[in-house]
Amino acid sequence: MRDQTIDILRDLIAYPTVSSESNLQMIGHLAGQLEAAGARCFLSGDDTGSKANLFATLGPDGPGGILLSGHSDVVPVLDQDWSSDPFEMTERDGRLYGRGTCDMKGFIAAAVAFAGQIDPARLIRPLHFAFTYDEEVGCLGARHLVGELAQRNILPDIAIIGEPTEMRIIEGHKGCCEYTTHFSGLEGHGSLPDAGVNAAEYAARYVSRLMELREQLKPRAPQNSRFDPPWTTINIGRIAGGVAHNVIAGKAEVDWEMRPVQKADAEFVKQALAAYVRHTLLPDMHAVCNHAEITTETIGEVTGLDPMHDNAARDLVAELTGSNSADVVSFGTEAGLFQELGMNVVVCGPGSIEQAHKPDEFITVEQLNKCCDMLARLGIKLTA
């Protein structure tokens, strides 16, 4: 299984499934391998027809079962200094290099190799596989997939999301909400600032309000929060606007994100911003130009994974790995979407998040071996 996992991973790395590009070739390849293992597969595509999720089932029909899930897309390699071709896997000193090796094609490869080792006739519970599109740009594929599963009345009991955690059990993470706020003002000569509506200035005021809200979120941290930091955070990623020193900026935009510890914090921020725009910024803008406006585009709102006192997924993976602890992390995954559907969910997979998104991304053979061992033990539990 270990050698087969590495062979499959090499094939997967060769598919340049950057989120801006199609993943259909890789999904078709995976579907073929799972069907050869005896799985029943269906695809669910996006509106463009260039992206698809793959869902597959081995074993008996019926409710429940175990779901192994991973995302097919990877982040770009543009402007990164790689020592080798990022889409041709290379092995050096026990490390497998390539874009997506740890985030998270390593887990997908192990899961597909595992499927090839299982006799479907011996499975006493359904074994499901979900490989999604566009996780890196807002978990768009998983959001689509959970809706499809609800319509088809497919509800696994347990989901294991194989993001790189160094095989540690992660039972909770913050949400991740990404936005771009657009400001449209009135251009004019820089010598007459009061005759225009400077979109860049209003963007700056908006950012100042975001920074005020960021401080107000700190005392809202839940008691005994296990996150680092324990409160909901706000980050400004990009500010852009204007065309020249002596021109009143007619357009501006702000990219920002929020990582909620609890849903109430997200509502608090959105309501406070809406009130500030409606009662303060827009009246000031409209006093000069009625057509000035502020709009916020939602790039993605990823649901957090709430730690649960009773979690069958955590207990199962603890048994499979021998771990007696579970942690929380600040980075986001698709796990919360599956939890909202009613599954018990954990995040546990090979590789380190420290290697994700970087040049010379790698996963160690040792980590892949640990993942293969966990899945082999799962196979024993699932077969008669």
Side-chain angles (χ1 to χ4, degrees):
M1 180 172 163
R2 293 167 179 81
D3 291 342
Q4 187 181 8
T5 295
I6 292 175
D7 289 341
I8 294 171
L9 179 56
R10 182 176 292 106
D11 292 339
L12 299 185
I13 297 305
Y15 292 103
T17 51
V18 177
S19 303
S20 60
E21 307 300 322
S22 173
N23 74 336
L24 292 182
Q25 285 189 322
M26 176 175 154
I27 288 296
H29 175 75
L30 290 170
Q33 290 193 306
L34 288 170
E35 286 173 348
R40 305 177 295 280
C41 299
F42 71 81
L43 304 185
S44 58
D46 73 346
D47 292 338
T48 71
S50 65
K51 306 281 183 72
N53 299 309
L54 167 61
F55 192 87
T57 301
L58 283 169
D61 286 320
I66 309 295
L67 171 64
L68 304 176
S69 182
H71 63 81
S72 65
D73 60 319
V74 297
V75 297
V77 298
L78 189 65
D79 296 328
Q80 290 189 340
D81 186 15
W82 282 72
S83 301
S84 57
D85 184 342
F87 297 111
E88 182 177 340
M89 194 178 78
T90 59
E91 182 173 359
R92 301 191 298 273
D93 301 322
R95 295 176 175 181
L96 304 172
Y97 290 88
R99 173 56 84 221
T101 46
C102 84
D103 188 19
M104 58 178 296
K105 293 180 179 180
F107 177 79
I108 293 175
V112 173
F114 171 56
Q117 301 292 314
I118 290 287
D119 179 358
R122 295 183 59 205
L123 285 168
I124 58 178
R125 300 171 67 184
L127 176 61
H128 305 285
F129 303 83
F131 303 135
T132 61
Y133 65 85
D134 284 358
E135 187 271 351
E136 299 288 4
V137 290
C139 296
L140 306 183
R143 193 176 300 279
H144 180 185
L145 179 62
V146 296
E148 182 88 359
L149 295 180
Q151 288 181 356
R152 292 172 177 255
N153 197 30
I154 299 173
L155 182 59
D157 295 318
I158 287 172
I160 302 171
I161 314 301
E163 289 277 6
T165 68
E166 298 179 288
M167 298 305 295
R168 293 182 301 122
I169 300 171
I170 302 303
E171 63 177 344
H173 65 68
K174 295 182 180 182
C176 182
C177 305
E178 297 180 341
Y179 308 97
T180 297
T181 301
H182 303 271
F183 302 81
S184 178
L186 178 64
E187 290 185 335
H189 198 284
S191 65
L192 298 171
D194 291 342
V197 177
N198 194 313
E201 292 182 6
Y202 282 93
R205 292 172 64 181
Y206 189 88
V207 168
S208 293
R209 181 65 178 131
L210 280 171
M211 295 300 91
E212 291 174 357
L213 291 169
R214 183 166 72 179
E215 294 306 308
Q216 292 174 23
L217 287 167
K218 292 180 180 180
R220 290 174 58 95
Q223 189 175 12
N224 301 320
S225 173
R226 295 160 59 194
F227 291 104
D228 180 21
W231 50 76
T232 294
T233 59
I234 292 175
N235 178 65
I236 309 302
R238 185 180 68 95
I239 303 173
V243 295
H245 293 79
N246 59 351
V247 177
I248 297 171
K251 302 287 185 182
E253 57 187 27
V254 176
D255 292 345
W256 60 282
E257 69 156 23
M258 168 174 50
R259 295 188 179 254
V261 172
Q262 50 196 353
K263 293 179 181 179
D265 286 351
E267 291 305 312
F268 166 73
V269 170
K270 289 192 283 188
Q271 290 175 10
L273 286 171
Y276 182 60
V277 167
R278 184 170 59 251
H279 299 304
T280 302
L281 296 185
L282 283 179
D284 289 351
M285 298 171 82
H286 291 163
V288 179
C289 175
N290 287 331
H291 301 297
E293 62 179 359
I294 299 172
T295 58
T296 293
E297 174 189 5
T298 299
I299 306 302
E301 292 182 327
V302 178
T303 305
L305 176 63
D306 294 331
M308 299 168 55
H309 183 267
D310 296 316
N311 186 337
R314 178 194 61 216
D315 297 343
L316 172 64
V317 176
E319 180 182 351
L320 297 176
T321 62
S323 174
N324 57 6
S325 65
D327 301 320
V328 300
V329 293
S330 293
F331 64 83
T333 77
E334 297 168 331
L337 293 167
F338 292 108
Q339 187 181 60
E340 284 188 330
L341 198 59
M343 302 180 205
N344 284 252
V345 186
V346 291
V347 183
C348 181
S352 169
I353 196 67
E354 294 298 319
Q355 306 307 324
H357 301 189
K358 294 180 179 179
D360 289 344
E361 176 184 344
F362 70 84
I363 191 169
T364 65
V365 174
E366 179 186 18
Q367 281 286 303
L368 277 184
N369 288 343
K370 288 182 178 180
C371 183
C372 290
D373 289 343
M374 178 188 76
L375 294 176
R377 296 185 189 104
L378 175 63
I380 295 171
K381 288 190 66 68
L382 290 179
T383 52

